[in-house]
Amino acid sequence: MSLTKVEIDHLASLVRLELSDSERQSFEEQLPQIIEFVDTLRKAKHETVEDSSERIIELKDLRADEPNNRSLSIEQIGKLAPTFEQNQVVVPHIFGDD
């Protein structure tokens, strides 16, 4: 199966990619191989594979739900944190400059 440049450009626009000519050429060569591989996987026999998506978890498989009493004190947290002010860990701003 081969893909045309128009199909490659359409796929790129669906995933909001802008491709250079060399990237388009690379995709033109690689995408048919990927599609063929996925098709091969789809045809593979899988009747003998146990479906784990519907596995019921039994209570014996779970650990006991007990509180963890190994918390750190405010002083210990302050010593571990790179910046600590007014009993709070200070982290860099993610949005904005303030």
Side-chain angles (χ1 to χ4, degrees):
M1 167 185 212
S2 63
L3 298 172
T4 66
K5 289 183 180 187
V6 173
E7 291 170 323
I8 299 288
D9 288 338
H10 178 68
L11 287 171
S13 70
L14 290 175
V15 293
R16 295 188 170 109
L17 287 178
E18 292 183 24
L19 300 175
S20 67
D21 290 336
S22 64
E23 290 171 326
R24 187 176 293 106
Q25 176 67 32
S26 178
F27 278 115
E28 201 172 331
E29 295 168 4
Q30 294 176 2
L31 280 174
Q33 296 170 355
I34 294 169
I35 292 169
E36 184 179 324
F37 181 72
V38 170
D39 192 42
T40 301
L41 291 176
R42 189 176 294 132
K43 292 176 185 175
K45 292 185 180 183
H46 59 286
E47 294 88 19
T48 59
V49 177
E50 179 183 342
D51 184 9
S52 62
S53 65
E54 296 180 15
R55 181 175 181 261
I56 298 173
I57 299 174
E58 297 183 27
L59 290 178
K60 67 178 183 170
D61 295 337
L62 302 175
R63 65 169 171 75
D65 190 14
E66 298 172 359
N68 180 351
N69 296 323
R70 299 177 297 183
S71 347
L72 297 174
S73 69
I74 294 292
E75 292 78 23
Q76 290 171 314
I77 294 171
K79 290 177 184 176
L80 294 171
T83 309
F84 192 74
E85 296 174 4
Q86 299 175 350
N87 288 341
Q88 297 180 349
V89 175
V90 179
V91 297
H93 290 280
I94 297 174
F95 300 105
D97 294 330
D98 355 22

